[in-house]
Amino acid sequence: MPFQHKTLILWVLIGLTAVPSVSAGTLEDIRAAGELQWGADAEGGAPYVFPDPDQPDQLIGFEVDLADAIAKQLGVTARMVQTDWRSLIPALQRRDFHIALNGIEWTGERSRVVDFSRPYYIYEQQLVVRSDENRIRSVNDLGGKTVGTLAATVAQQMLEKRGDVTLKVYEGQVQPYRDLELMRIDAVFMDWPIAAHYARPNPKLKFAGAPIGEGLYVIALPKGDAEFSGRINKILEDLYADGTLQGIYEKWGLWNLKQVSLRESDHSARKVFTGGTDNGLGVYLPLLLKGAGMTVLISIAAMALAMVFGAAVTLTRLMGGRLLKPLAVAYVEIMRGTPLLLQLYIIYYGLPNIGISLNAFTAAVLGLGLNYAAYESEIYRAGLESIPKGQHDAALSLGMTRWMIYRRILIPQARRVVLPPVTNDFISLFKDSSLVSIIAIVELTKSYNMLAVSSMKFLELGLLTGALYLMMSLPLSVLSTRLEKHLAIS
Amino acid sequence: MIHVSGITKKFQDHAVLDCIDLDLKQGEVKVVIGPSGSGKSTLLKCIGALEPFDNGSVQVGETRIEGPASRSRSGSDQDKLRQIRLSAGMVFQQFHLFPHLTALENIMEAPVQVLKVSKTEAETTAKKLLQQVQLGNRADRYPRQLSGGEQQRVAIARALAMNPKCVLFDEPTSALDPEMVGEVLSVMRELADKGMTLLVATHEMDFAKEVAGEILMLDQGRVVERGTPSMVFGNPSEQRTRRFLHRITHR
Ligand SMILES: Nc1ncnc2c1ncn2[C@@H]1O[C@H](COP(=O)(O)OP(=O)(O)OP(=O)(O)O)[C@@H](O)[C@H]1O
Ligand SMILES: [Mg+2]
């Protein structure tokens, strides 16, 4: 019972979300389903589970082979259930699949909410730098450097624990190496299998120092089903003994002498990194507040850009010549008609292909700002068009030029009309800013995600994070309502 | 001062103005009457260069523009249109004061922005004009704080501040409560007495009889009858005019 010591309210909430903490009969479930459903994230990438480059509808990887081998022992077939990597453990708790098998590292926090099998692979962490790097020779030289790693991994926790590096946390395995090549970061610290697959073949990158920080990849199993975990452990033991495991690892270039220890059945004496201790919420609050600060900073900068650029787009659309007008229309349609997420990816990861490499903060502000500029420009246009035509006629009859009419007569009146919708847009931008976490910016939602995954406190931290968002957005809502009322009166 | 010759304007196939001729000499006052939809507003807007027209020509002061040129975007044609707008002041049925500016600022805006008159000079003129329309004590009020009659008088002052050669009035009292009509008409009467050239679309018969040199009766875009007030009101020759006059006097 992981949450026993928490307050009554939390207990009730947990009761409502109905997470069974003890489960049994997984073997019967598998037999009834006729398949072993295993949770993994193909987006995570090679060499674990990834789409076959030659046949993208097929998944391959050493864990696909392993799942197949386990299923065969159980007398069923294996079916991968695609799940966001950071949700694997909670999804297993909800019984979305029978096992979670996807480079899951053994940590103390996780073992409180699910059971773990014996290890199927012994990994280490590998530091990677650019080929021309000569200052960073090992992790000892990382002080003050910017280091990329994968979100919610042991590598991230190890770096956090050092406290003297600037962390850049990524969702995918490819992007950190890419940013390393682009000199956006100084080094990448990630699981050895990832480094072996992505960095070793890349001539622009090299390994720095020997691998360190031994850890165990384990299969996550439903909590409390001793029969099932006994069976899985036996299968893993057999797969090692008959050479199947070694065969799989050799096929994927992952075999090394360390794996010999997999033979042992007791790994409790192994000096593995176990992550932090079970902290109270107070420990997380400063980290969440820091994330909130970044959210506010990005939102304000992006909104300022959106308002100024949106105004430029509107004026171009209303006053531009035959050439510029369609350009402004196309801009609005493209920005509104494609996902913001895609735009962020293109700005941050795509533009370097044509020589434009922006830092993450600039890319985030630019992406959000340019996207919202399209919406602001439509609000401004509607605002200007809501001004009665007589105003234009009266100004024109006084000899004013077109630009003068906009500047002195129409815009000052439209400004009042657009204030409430623009405030509303600011609130949505504020919430949409959570999307920039995909370009390795640690804002509030990202902070929550990182902390929740490492502590397993999805609910408590989620409520706390929600409260922080509300504390920031409610004043804006109140302001927007006030403005609307104020305008309705005058 | 104003020469309109054969102007025609169509919306799609429907002729809103059909070959209209009109002349006003310096200091003349003429009144246009006609049923709703007959083309009064359109005529005034065409003369004031707020609407393009298709054929014929409009001349205000020394500036003359032909139908096709009134739609042209060329610099010289735009200059001509602007010249006409500066020569002809406009007063609208719905006032169209700028709601974000005070009465005084409404009057000062165009002299400062368009004529580049200094702020102090524009303010002096504006205050004088407000006195002239009996609103010396309303300078700092916003349009929404003024009655309809007051708003229309500010609108007249705003037009006069540009020193126009003539003023075009489009039913200036139709949107007003009856008790406010008089104050606006008396300002207009004063203007006429001072020798200002006025073209007024209105249904105020008494005003027309008193100040107008000529009445034009418009129907379906044509001038169906024209003459002195006593001729048109006293003994209209057209059945349509008679019916129209009967309707508005028995409202
Ligand atoms: N933008 C437009 N598009 C199409 N038709 C129009 C447009 N503006 C005016 N009209 C038409 O032109 C005709 C003349 O309109 P106008 O406003 O000049 O009449 P009016 O004599 O001023 O009428 P009222 O006494 O109601 O003000 C009407 O039939 C009207 O429907
Ligand atoms: Mg009209």
Side-chain angles (χ1 to χ4, degrees):
Chain A
M1 295 287 178
F3 298 114
Q4 233 157 12
H5 57 288
K6 291 291 176 285
T7 64
L8 184 66
I9 292 171
L10 280 176
W11 253 114
V12 171
L13 281 167
I14 290 160
L16 288 175
T17 50
V19 182
S21 49
V22 174
S23 39
T26 314
L27 277 172
E28 282 90 276
D29 287 353
I30 292 172
R31 247 172 254 132
E35 57 184 17
L36 170 68
Q37 292 154 9
W38 59 291
D41 186 0
E43 216 184 330
Y48 302 80
V49 182
F50 60 106
D52 186 345
D54 299 327
Q55 246 180 305
D57 57 335
Q58 296 287 323
L59 291 177
I60 56 173
F62 78 90
E63 288 176 338
V64 176
D65 294 346
L66 178 57
D68 285 342
I70 295 171
K72 198 169 153 204
Q73 297 285 320
L74 290 169
V76 292
T77 53
R79 182 167 69 84
M80 196 273 249
V81 179
Q82 170 62 39
T83 306
D84 178 64
W85 193 80
R86 300 205 277 190
S87 308
L88 280 173
I89 302 287
L92 178 68
Q93 284 181 285
R94 287 188 294 122
R95 311 301 299 266
D96 285 356
F97 33 73
H98 304 122
I99 63 174
L101 164 54
N102 198 200
I104 296 170
E105 302 133 327
W106 188 95
T107 68
E109 292 96 336
R110 288 178 191 148
S111 70
R112 281 198 291 273
V113 290
V114 291
D115 282 349
F116 284 129
S117 71
R118 59 187 285 156
Y120 62 86
Y121 189 83
I122 300 172
Y123 70 90
E124 288 174 284
Q125 306 292 341
Q126 179 62 53
L127 186 67
V128 173
V129 294
R130 282 183 293 274
S131 310
D132 57 7
E133 177 69 66
N134 45 32
R135 291 161 304 153
I136 305 173
R137 296 207 183 79
S138 75
V139 286
N140 300 327
D141 305 325
L142 282 183
K145 297 286 188 290
T146 305
V147 185
T149 190
L150 199 56
T153 58
V154 166
Q156 183 198 339
Q157 292 185 0
M158 289 169 76
L159 290 172
E160 272 170 0
K161 212 163 192 193
R162 286 179 59 118
D164 64 341
V165 297
T166 307
L167 254 191
K168 288 267 282 176
V169 180
Y170 293 82
E171 295 298 312
Q173 319 183 346
V174 186
Q175 290 88 342
Y177 293 118
R178 194 182 151 79
D179 274 6
L180 178 59
E181 273 184 57
L182 292 169
M183 326 243 298
R184 283 167 169 164
I185 53 180
D186 301 315
V188 172
F189 189 63
M190 286 203 296
D191 292 17
W192 188 84
I194 306 173
H197 191 86
Y198 286 107
R200 199 161 48 181
N202 187 338
K204 290 187 190 141
L205 305 177
K206 67 177 180 193
F207 283 12
I212 57 156
E214 190 173 279
L216 309 171
Y217 285 156
V218 290
I219 302 175
L221 308 166
K223 185 95 183 156
D225 190 344
E227 185 199 4
F228 183 53
S229 56
R231 184 68 196 277
I232 292 291
N233 281 335
K234 179 75 174 67
I235 290 174
L236 285 175
E237 199 180 336
D238 293 347
L239 288 177
Y240 182 83
D242 68 10
T244 310
L245 266 186
Q246 182 172 351
I248 292 174
Y249 295 147
E250 279 172 347
K251 171 180 164 192
W252 291 98
L254 296 172
W255 177 257
N256 52 37
L257 284 178
K258 266 207 176 312
Q259 310 307 326
V260 175
S261 330
L262 287 174
R263 178 184 55 203
E264 299 155 16
S265 56
D266 184 9
H267 292 267
S268 52
R270 209 167 265 283
K271 215 173 144 273
V272 297
F273 184 87
T274 58
T277 44
D278 187 12
N279 295 310
L281 285 182
V283 175
Y284 302 103
L285 192 59
L287 291 167
L288 287 177
L289 284 176
K290 205 170 147 212
M294 182 54 97
T295 291
V296 169
L297 200 64
I298 286 184
S299 302
I300 290 177
M303 194 63 197
L305 174 66
M307 287 173 67
V308 172
F309 193 65
V313 172
T314 308
L315 289 176
T316 309
R317 187 160 182 175
L318 292 173
M319 304 180 60
R322 227 161 295 175
L323 222 70
L324 288 173
K325 218 179 267 189
L327 222 61
V329 175
Y331 178 82
V332 170
E333 292 311 326
I334 290 170
M335 286 321 229
R336 292 197 308 175
T338 58
L340 174 54
L341 207 55
L342 178 71
Q343 294 163 15
L344 285 168
Y345 264 118
I346 291 178
I347 288 175
Y348 190 64
Y349 294 116
L351 286 186
N353 284 359
I354 54 167
I356 305 170
S357 176
L358 303 168
N359 70 41
F361 183 81
T362 312
V365 170
L366 212 60
L368 275 172
L370 292 183
N371 180 272
Y372 268 78
Y375 293 94
E376 296 327 291
S377 110
E378 284 300 281
I379 291 178
Y380 298 160
R381 191 166 67 98
L384 284 169
E385 283 171 358
S386 76
I387 311 291
K389 184 173 181 298
Q391 290 290 311
H392 182 269
D393 280 350
L396 196 63
S397 81
L398 290 167
M400 293 195 188
T401 61
R402 237 147 67 90
W403 172 234
M404 212 183 277
I405 295 174
Y406 275 110
R407 191 169 53 89
R408 302 288 309 180
I409 306 300
L410 301 182
I411 292 174
Q413 292 183 52
R415 204 156 45 197
R416 297 158 41 87
V417 184
V418 305
L419 220 48
V422 167
T423 314
N424 274 330
D425 256 20
F426 188 36
I427 298 173
S428 1
L429 181 145
F430 176 70
K431 288 179 293 174
D432 275 355
S433 69
S434 63
L435 287 175
V436 305
S437 61
I438 59 133
I439 55 176
I441 283 193
V442 183
E443 40 65 67
L444 185 49
T445 297
K446 176 84 163 195
S447 306
Y448 158 69
N449 228 322
M450 285 163 38
L451 296 172
V453 167
S454 71
S455 69
M456 288 292 130
K457 295 184 197 301
F458 282 92
L459 183 61
E460 302 98 311
L461 288 177
L463 294 174
L464 190 59
T465 306
L468 284 177
Y469 268 113
L470 271 180
M471 274 160 54
M472 296 187 282
S473 67
L474 272 182
L476 283 171
S477 297
V478 171
L479 177 71
S480 162
T481 319
R482 284 246 178 93
L483 284 171
E484 261 160 37
K485 276 207 194 109
H486 178 73
L487 285 180
I489 293 166
S490 61
Chain B
M1 177 61 56
I2 298 178
H3 297 285
V4 175
S5 98
I7 71 164
T8 300
K9 179 177 174 66
K10 291 192 172 110
F11 283 119
Q12 277 97 40
D13 283 342
H14 167 64
V16 179
L17 297 179
D18 192 356
C19 205
I20 292 186
D21 298 308
L22 173 65
D23 275 285
L24 268 89
K25 292 196 193 57
Q26 170 77 47
E28 257 190 315
V29 176
K30 293 195 176 180
V31 162
V32 182
I33 59 172
S36 179
S38 58
K40 303 181 295 292
S41 297
T42 309
L43 175 63
L44 294 182
K45 281 186 180 173
C46 286
I47 298 172
L50 297 184
E51 285 257 13
F53 49 96
D54 301 307
N55 280 308
S57 71
V58 166
Q59 181 174 349
V60 177
E62 306 303 311
T63 320
R64 194 175 125 96
I65 191 118
E66 308 280 337
S70 68
R71 290 184 194 279
S72 150
R73 291 206 148 271
S74 88
S76 67
D77 289 329
Q78 288 292 318
D79 281 350
K80 278 190 196 166
L81 290 169
R82 199 150 161 257
Q83 199 52 53
I84 292 181
R85 287 174 198 140
L86 288 171
S87 307
M90 274 283 220
V91 175
F92 304 89
Q93 186 173 352
Q94 302 291 344
F95 332 135
H96 300 326
L97 288 182
F98 306 131
H100 60 301
L101 302 178
T102 63
L104 192 72
E105 288 166 342
N106 260 278
I107 301 170
M108 289 168 59
E109 181 69 11
V112 171
Q113 298 295 326
V114 179
L115 303 178
K116 310 292 177 202
V117 172
S118 79
K119 273 217 169 120
T120 38
E121 194 186 331
E123 191 173 331
T124 316
T125 318
K127 281 185 170 155
K128 217 177 285 168
L129 284 165
L130 276 174
Q131 294 288 351
Q132 189 184 324
V133 298
Q134 322 287 331
L135 290 173
N137 54 349
R138 296 284 193 268
D140 294 327
R141 296 232 181 148
Y142 283 91
R144 63 173 181 279
Q145 300 167 321
L146 296 171
S147 74
E150 291 170 335
Q151 287 190 55
Q152 192 61 297
R153 283 184 281 154
V154 173
I156 295 172
R158 179 177 69 176
L160 294 176
M162 294 299 283
N163 242 328
K165 297 189 167 119
C166 57
V167 184
L168 315 176
F169 287 87
D170 186 6
E171 302 200 44
T173 56
S174 308
L176 298 179
D177 290 338
E179 66 269 24
M180 294 171 189
V181 171
E183 62 197 46
V184 172
L185 289 181
S186 81
V187 167
M188 291 168 65
R189 231 176 246 122
E190 227 172 275
L191 276 180
D193 290 346
K194 282 189 184 159
M196 179 60 98
T197 313
L198 304 179
L199 180 58
V200 185
T202 186
H203 296 159
E204 294 298 329
M205 296 303 151
D206 294 337
F207 173 80
K209 275 179 205 156
E210 199 181 315
V211 297
E214 187 180 48
I215 308 284
L216 289 88
M217 165 73 191
L218 225 57
D219 191 30
Q220 295 183 354
R222 287 166 192 262
V223 178
V224 292
E225 180 150 4
R226 67 202 312 166
T228 60
S230 56
M231 277 164 62
V232 175
F233 294 145
N235 186 19
S237 53
E238 281 279 322
Q239 181 65 32
R240 275 181 285 187
T241 314
R242 222 169 287 150
R243 235 181 295 134
F244 172 70
L245 289 173
H246 179 80
R247 228 174 333 145
I248 61 167
T249 44
H250 291 82
R251 257 192 309 213

